[in-house]
Amino acid sequence: MTAVVEIDGLLKTYRRRGRRHRALAGFTMTVEQGQVHGFLGPNGSGKTTTLRALLGLIQADGGAMRMFGRLVPGALPDVVGRVGAVVENPRFFPGFTGRDTLRLLADAGGVPPGRVDAKLELVGLADRARDRVRTYSLGMRQRLAVASALLKDPELVILDEPANGLDPAGIREMRQLMRDLADGGTTVLFSSHLLAEVQQVCDAVTIIAGGRRVAAGPVEDVLASHTEDAVRVRLAAGELAPAAQVLVRAGATVRQEGGHLLVGNVQRPAWVTYVLAEHGLFLEELVPAKVDLESVFLALTGAGPDGPPARAAGGPADRRAGEPEPGSGDRDGDAADRARAEVDA
Amino acid sequence: MRLLRAEVRRFAKRRLIRWTVGVFVLLLGLVLAGASYQSRPVTAAALATAQARAGTQLAEARAAHAERVAPCVDAVRQGRPPPPEFTADCDAAAAPSPDWYPVAEFLPYQLSFRDEVDGYLLLYGALLALVALLVGASFIGAEWSSGALANLLVWRPQRGRVLLTKLVVAVGAILALGTATAALWLGGVYAVARFDGTVQGTTAGLLQSAGLGAVRAVGLAALVGAFAFALASIGRHTAAAFGAVIGLALVSEVGMAFAGSVLRLRYPGAFQLSTYGQAWVTRSVTLDPVVCAMGATCRADARDITWLHALGVFGAGTVLALLVAFVVLRRRAIT
Ligand SMILES: Nc1ncnc2c1ncn2[C@@H]1O[C@H](COP(=O)(O)OP(=O)(O)O)[C@@H](O)[C@H]1O
Ligand SMILES: [Mg+2]
């Protein structure tokens, strides 16, 4: 496997209203060729900052970055022909049509103009291609941005929050598109603060929080290394409280969730059965707690729309995420909830 | 090369630019049409009519004068002193003379190429400069404010090159527009004069000087366009260029006039951009020392501001603004 993107010890400090704000504190990431690589982190964790630095839009304060083995931003003009990228909310000149926008980019990059319509078709924008960008919804601008990133038939596609503004069907299409790209040999690096959309499509993930990498690797490895030794236990309603007491006294961690107990720090499920039976408590159901990327993510980043950070099992969970941007946290949280609900549905 | 072609296409696609150029050309056409409508060539018949009308009016005025001074004339003839309301020679000085009623005033308006070409060039130069300001500023300003430039810079991560290409396209377009319309404009004014007015006295020297005037007008527009481009790029907004230009005009005209009087500058006009604009158009402006205007003894130390001085001032200002624009872009965080 060869690395397409290598980022090492990236540092970036913004000056904001006279105060210094550290957005990246030695961030490190490697993206292997042919992967769909999810770049995950809560709002304000430094994803966009990383991608901006990688693409030469801002200057990092330290660290090294390579694309296709070449040091960037220095070699950016040489490698940019192999990279298609969209950073932050895609913004286009509002007075041009989607088609004109892409044609001008194609012109500037020496891409055959015939490819424009094919890419518009690919992102499902063909029938609005002759309307002005001014009239596009956020989701449509997002699609246009993806089309522009694909225009060069790049070896590496970088998408910043590509699911933003998309409806559930759009998110599914976007996932399929990324999968198809990777199957065709293109490396896809995309950032997201929504987990559900990622787990199904990613080969590997890098999780960022507070400007630092907190986990990285193939999805299964990340899941495995953060699997809690937890089981879900169901008992008769009146026995939940005494059972919890018993288990805690025996050294487990217990959290009540509806009609269940989530029991952690358990080596073998049989141990739970044994301890409870000793006290005359008999369980009705016992299943291993399912671990998904979402809970790992919430544990690692210590930030989520669902309340206080969960305790991580073994992960560096004490690290707080970067402060959420004032006023935006709620909105993003809602969006995250909604999107997750949509995807689950 | 590819970038250049793309930018030329982008330029031509911009609606504001199309509208501005359209309105500009329309305005020029309207002015010429108006001149053509108003101007009448002087025919022999028209001249005869005018001469007759001038003669009639002179005769009428003389008659009225004679009637008014009649009591005085009578008195003098009879050896009496003239009545007090008259002078000794019975207001002879007030007697109407033919030059009070020049024939020209009784002729319909006739555009004279020789006399009016400078005024028409001035109007053209002012309009073109305005177009250049708008085009130069909005071409880059709207790209910044819409975020489209950030996109392009991801696509082509060569900031200096991208900005330079856009500058070349904007200035090139202004030069092309100026060259085409200046030729049409001079030709139009000449044609109107030729068919609806007079081209009498149009010498080769006059034509050459008019041509040079047109070249200077186009050159000034190119400088204005580049200056506005630089300002809009520094401020990342079209309006930034307009604001800066208005601010500059205020400082130069109002501020310097005030500072000139406070600091007792000898030639306050030398610090005002309008002086250089005028010098650019009329080739030279003569500034008298302030003390002359106040009636003190005035030595012959007037100072000339020539169009070359103007070129120096405008050129230096534009080059400086462009340098700043490029340096700022090189270090700018694009977010
Ligand atoms: N231009 C900027 N000036 C000051 N602070 C910024 C700027 N851009 C981002 N930040 C801050 O840097 C941190 C990381 O932001 P960002 O990279 O946009 O996060 P993400 O894309 O992961 O949501 C945030 O705290 C954000 O407020
Ligand atoms: Mg972001």
Side-chain angles (χ1 to χ4, degrees):
Chain A
M1 278 263 188
T2 46
V4 174
V5 177
E6 297 156 273
I7 296 176
D8 190 26
L10 199 62
L11 296 171
K12 177 68 189 178
T13 301
Y14 287 113
R15 260 162 290 279
R16 205 162 45 184
R17 273 179 267 114
R19 287 216 314 274
R20 295 157 67 79
H21 174 82
R22 171 159 282 202
L24 293 175
F27 177 69
T28 294
M29 172 163 74
T30 304
V31 178
E32 306 285 353
Q33 192 178 12
Q35 283 182 341
V36 174
H37 193 106
F39 183 16
L40 312 176
N43 285 308
S45 55
K47 303 182 294 295
T48 300
T49 301
T50 304
L51 298 182
R52 279 203 186 110
L54 189 64
L55 294 165
L57 292 176
I58 60 174
Q59 206 167 4
D61 302 326
M65 295 175 287
R66 284 169 202 277
M67 276 203 261
F68 302 105
R70 305 278 308 275
L71 270 175
V72 293
L76 212 46
D78 300 335
V79 298
V80 77
R82 306 159 73 182
V83 183
V86 180
V87 185
E88 197 79 278
N89 290 332
R91 305 207 304 155
F92 298 100
F93 190 74
F96 288 165
T97 66
R99 194 152 176 271
D100 280 344
T101 302
L102 293 194
R103 290 201 132 197
L104 288 170
L105 285 177
D107 267 2
V111 169
R115 215 182 272 168
V116 166
D117 288 332
K119 299 303 177 193
L120 285 167
E121 186 77 40
L122 184 66
V123 299
L125 213 54
D127 41 333
R128 292 297 301 272
R130 282 158 207 275
D131 293 339
R132 293 183 190 286
V133 171
R134 193 193 307 285
T135 68
Y136 286 11
S137 68
L138 175 58
M140 292 165 68
R141 266 179 281 142
Q142 197 69 257
R143 288 165 193 260
L144 183 62
V146 172
S148 80
L150 299 181
L151 211 49
K152 296 178 197 170
D153 279 341
E155 294 166 49
L156 169 65
V157 178
I158 298 176
L159 303 173
D160 193 11
E161 309 262 3
N164 259 6
L166 292 185
D167 52 23
I171 293 179
R172 187 173 307 146
E173 286 171 36
M174 184 69 65
R175 267 204 305 262
Q176 190 55 47
L177 178 63
M178 293 196 286
R179 197 62 260 167
D180 291 347
L181 283 170
D183 292 345
T186 307
T187 309
V188 179
L189 168 62
F190 77 102
S191 77
S192 180
H193 65 278
L194 302 180
L195 271 296
E197 76 180 52
V198 164
Q199 189 164 5
Q200 310 165 44
V201 72
C202 286
D203 301 308
V205 293
T206 296
I207 300 183
I208 182 175
R212 283 192 184 80
R213 178 170 82 174
V214 291
V219 174
E220 314 84 70
D221 294 3
V222 171
L223 290 181
S225 65
H226 292 94
T227 299
E228 290 186 65
D229 307 318
V231 292
R232 203 178 287 281
V233 175
R234 197 144 69 92
L235 295 103
E239 294 181 341
L240 280 175
Q245 277 179 12
V246 166
L247 287 167
V248 168
R249 248 186 278 124
T253 63
V254 178
R255 194 165 78 225
Q256 184 165 348
E257 285 184 347
H260 298 275
L261 293 179
L262 192 65
V263 185
N265 201 15
V266 176
Q267 304 308 321
R268 288 179 306 121
W271 177 82
V272 176
T273 321
Y274 174 75
V275 171
L276 290 180
E278 254 191 341
H279 291 81
L281 297 164
F282 298 97
L283 40 84
E284 302 188 340
E285 187 182 334
L286 184 146
V287 288
K290 204 166 128 253
V291 172
D292 57 6
L293 204 49
E294 179 129 4
S295 49
V296 174
F297 175 79
L298 291 178
L300 285 175
T301 62
D306 306 323
R311 200 185 67 84
D318 48 328
R319 195 170 296 127
R320 290 286 310 185
E323 53 175 299
E325 282 154 276
S328 71
D330 284 342
R331 196 193 59 224
D332 291 328
D334 286 344
D337 277 342
R338 237 179 296 118
R340 198 170 299 118
E342 285 158 0
V343 170
D344 289 345
Chain B
M1 260 355 254
R2 298 192 306 234
L3 194 57
L4 189 66
R5 226 186 52 211
E7 290 307 321
V8 169
R9 285 193 53 193
R10 185 193 310 278
F11 188 89
K13 272 189 190 297
R14 289 285 300 276
R15 286 219 293 182
L16 180 79
I17 290 172
R18 288 180 178 180
W19 274 96
T20 306
V21 171
V23 167
F24 172 63
V25 171
L26 191 72
L27 223 55
L28 294 184
L30 282 177
V31 170
L32 283 186
S36 163
Y37 177 77
Q38 286 198 323
S39 177
R40 295 265 182 288
V42 177
T43 56
L47 191 63
T49 312
Q51 277 166 341
R53 283 182 61 200
T56 312
Q57 294 229 344
L58 178 62
E60 280 172 6
R62 278 182 167 155
H65 179 74
E67 196 180 318
R68 192 173 65 79
V69 299
C72 174
V73 173
D74 285 349
V76 171
R77 195 180 301 140
Q78 292 164 10
R80 285 183 279 125
E85 65 265 34
F86 295 102
T87 58
D89 61 354
C90 286
D91 289 356
S97 73
D99 56 322
W100 287 18
Y101 298 95
V103 177
E105 283 193 3
F106 296 90
L107 286 168
Y109 167 70
Q110 168 181 256
L111 192 156
S112 160
F113 187 79
R114 180 193 58 193
D115 298 339
E116 296 182 48
V117 66
D118 276 353
Y120 277 96
L121 274 179
L122 192 59
L123 173 70
Y124 169 81
L127 284 178
L128 186 66
L130 215 57
V131 168
L133 179 69
L134 205 68
V135 164
S138 85
F139 185 49
I140 186 76
E143 291 260 311
W144 271 117
S145 54
S146 72
L149 192 70
N151 246 336
L152 184 61
L153 289 177
V154 170
W155 193 268
R156 288 292 294 254
Q158 293 145 302
R159 299 185 177 192
R161 199 150 158 192
V162 166
L163 193 68
L164 185 65
T165 307
K166 284 182 184 289
L167 174 69
V168 165
V169 168
V171 171
I174 291 166
L175 286 176
L177 175 73
T179 309
T181 54
L184 284 176
W185 179 247
L186 277 183
V189 173
Y190 188 86
V192 171
R194 167 78 185 71
F195 294 107
D196 297 323
T198 178
V199 291
Q200 217 179 21
T202 307
T203 59
L206 182 84
L207 280 179
Q208 190 190 4
S209 133
L212 286 177
V215 168
R216 283 203 306 275
V218 173
L220 181 65
L223 283 181
V224 167
F227 187 62
F229 180 94
L231 291 180
S233 180
I234 295 167
R236 303 197 214 193
H237 217 288
T238 309
F242 296 161
V245 166
I246 290 170
L248 202 60
L250 279 179
V251 167
S252 149
E253 304 314 310
V254 182
M256 279 317 295
F258 180 69
S261 69
V262 169
L263 301 175
R264 296 174 182 283
L265 295 176
R266 251 172 101 68
Y267 304 95
F271 297 95
Q272 299 190 322
L273 288 175
S274 56
T275 308
Y276 293 90
Q278 203 184 335
W280 180 264
V281 175
T282 61
R283 257 162 291 164
S284 168
V285 169
T286 303
L287 296 177
D288 293 318
V290 176
V291 285
C292 283
M294 292 171 167
T297 43
C298 188
R299 281 155 308 168
D301 55 358
R303 187 194 273 186
D304 278 341
I305 304 272
T306 67
W307 68 276
L308 280 171
H309 291 121
L311 179 62
V313 168
F314 294 148
T318 303
V319 166
L320 185 71
L322 285 172
L323 275 179
V324 172
F326 275 90
V327 169
V328 164
L329 179 64
R330 196 154 286 280
R331 313 160 137 247
R332 175 172 287 171
I334 297 173
T335 57

